[in-house]
Amino acid sequence: MSPHSAIVLAGGLGTRLRPLTEQRPKQMLPIVDRPMIEHVIAKLAAEGTAEVVLSLGYRPDAFSAAYSSGRCGGAGLRYATEPEPLGTAGAILFAARRAATGNGEAGGGDPFAETFWALNGDVLTDAPLSELLALHRARGAEATILTIPMADASRYGLVESDGTGRVSRFVEKPASGAVTSGWINAGVYVLEPSVLARIPPGRPVSMERETFAAVAADGSLYALHSEDYWIDAGTPASYLQANIDLISGRRATTLGALSPRATVSPGATVVGSVVMERATVEAGARLDGSVVLPGARIGAGAVVADSVVGYDAVVGPGARVAGFTLLGDGVTVAAGESLQGGRR
Ligand code: GDD
Ligand code: MG
């Protein structure tokens, strides 16, 4: 049986996705048809998780406003907002303690006194979590990590394990130049409550740099290798890719590229791109490998390639936006103007 409860980390600043994250946390940015966080929680709910505690810091109100019913993605939702950033392990401890002391909510018991899930809130995957749990139980592990093969592990955590899955080494953000190819931490964990006891309270603690090292040293950290679909949607290129993968048949489910509430001229060309609700694409415009957020407007004859057009932003007629450009909320690109990379 799947653990009843999960902690999902969603308190980061989303620095790499600025200016899109100036008004909202990255987990509230839409991926095709819903905020990122709903995709993450729907995956947990599909695998049997009933309750999620969202660990928040930066702009927590964006979540409570969107999910005022207390439900999200098919699971019950609670919030634990840190007074200051506590790092990935500190945040998990804080969230677990908050849930245990009731947080003003009804319902008894401590949901984190038994095996639970913990996830990075920017990770989308089709890997079967049941297999992760099965390995965890079979080995009697204290913590078990989902891992994914990666040619360049330098922006991830590199995880080395033996034939039984036992982890011998965890290296967070290995320096490029060192060993950079291998199995990386997918940011999806099964944890025993004893892991919480290893996290010193009241100061920032990194799961990746501190806590996992201690569990590995005791021989009770395990890793499951998975070659299923996985992406961390937290950079401009990977945010674009996460959207495009969901419309192009690379995922277990495929979604429509054009919102039924968007207006796309029959004279526009849209290739491998997502156009969200209330957005407009005029005649002669061309979209390629791009994401147009709600309410944005692409003028006649404009070209947008490998870029994100922010909420209610305007790309003027004949303008050209390319090379992983991010346009913030309400920004205007003048008619005929050309932008290559960068942020506005
Ligand atoms: N509550 C809270 N407090 N959340 C935080 C904090 C914090 O202090 N710091 C980060 N987060 C959240 C982020 O919002 C995100 O959902 C998650 O924790 C991971 O943070 P990222 O900033 O996205 O980390 P990363 O992508 O560089 O690296 C992590 O993820 C990789 C896989 O995607 C590490 O876990 C790597 O080891 C891993 O390979
Ligand atoms: Mg990330």
Side-chain angles (χ1 to χ4, degrees), residues 220-233:
S220 44
L221 183 65
Y222 284 80
L224 178 74
H225 289 175
S226 168
E227 305 208 31
D228 291 291
Y229 178 89
W230 178 89
I231 196 165
D232 168 334

Side-chain angles (χ1 to χ4, degrees), residues 9-12 16 26-27 55-56 82 85-88 91 120-123 155-157 170 172-173 185-186 189 208 230 232:
L9 295 176
R16 290 165 290 190
K26 72 178 154 186
Q27 291 84 2
S55 164
L56 304 179
E82 298 154 32
L86 289 172
T88 46
N120 287 348
D122 58 353
V123 155
R155 60 167 277 242
Y156 304 100
F170 189 118
E172 181 65 10
K173 309 266 156 56
N185 169 26
Y189 318 127
E208 297 85 348
W230 178 89
D232 168 334

Side-chain angles (χ1 to χ4, degrees), residues 125-145:
T125 184
D126 291 328
L129 301 187
S130 54
E131 285 181 20
L132 187 67
L133 184 66
L135 178 75
H136 181 81
R137 297 244 155 97
R139 298 287 182 269
E142 187 175 353
T144 305
I145 304 174

Side-chain angles (χ1 to χ4, degrees), residues 15 17 89-90 100 169 193 317 329 333:
T15 317
L17 283 173
R169 224 158 68 99
D329 294 17
V333 178

